[in-house]
Amino acid sequence: MKPEDLRAKTDDELKDMLLGLRKEAFNLRFQAASGQLENTARRRQVRRSIARVKTIIGQRAGAAS
C-alpha cells in the first residue's frame, strides 16, 4: 500500500491494519518453518508494510506533541 493511501486513514484504521499485518507475518513465519510457504516474497512485503504503518503512526504522534 502506498504511503499516501495510509495517510488518508484514521488512527484506528491504521492500528487495525497493523494488527492484521502482524497476524499475517506470524502465520507466514509458521508456514515458512513448516515448508508450506509458496510466495516467499510476501514475507518481505508484509514486513515493509508494517514498517510503513508504524512510521506514519509515529509521525502523527510526534506532530501531536
Side-chain angles (χ1 to χ4, degrees):
M1 186 169 261
K2 294 183 178 183
E4 299 86 31
D5 299 336
L6 293 175
R7 286 191 181 96
K9 294 186 179 287
T10 65
D11 288 341
D12 289 336
E13 289 175 332
L14 287 174
K15 288 178 184 177
D16 290 341
M17 183 178 211
L18 182 60
L19 183 63
L21 286 168
R22 285 183 171 165
K23 286 180 182 180
E24 184 177 355
F26 178 80
N27 289 331
L28 289 172
R29 273 197 313 271
F30 272 92
Q31 287 178 9
S34 64
Q36 296 176 349
L37 184 62
E38 294 177 9
N39 184 5
T40 57
R42 183 66 184 148
R43 290 178 70 189
R44 182 177 182 180
Q45 293 170 348
V46 170
R47 197 171 63 238
R48 289 182 177 196
S49 294
I50 289 171
R52 282 188 192 99
V53 171
K54 288 178 72 174
T55 298
I56 291 174
I57 290 172
Q59 287 174 345
R60 289 185 182 177
S65 61

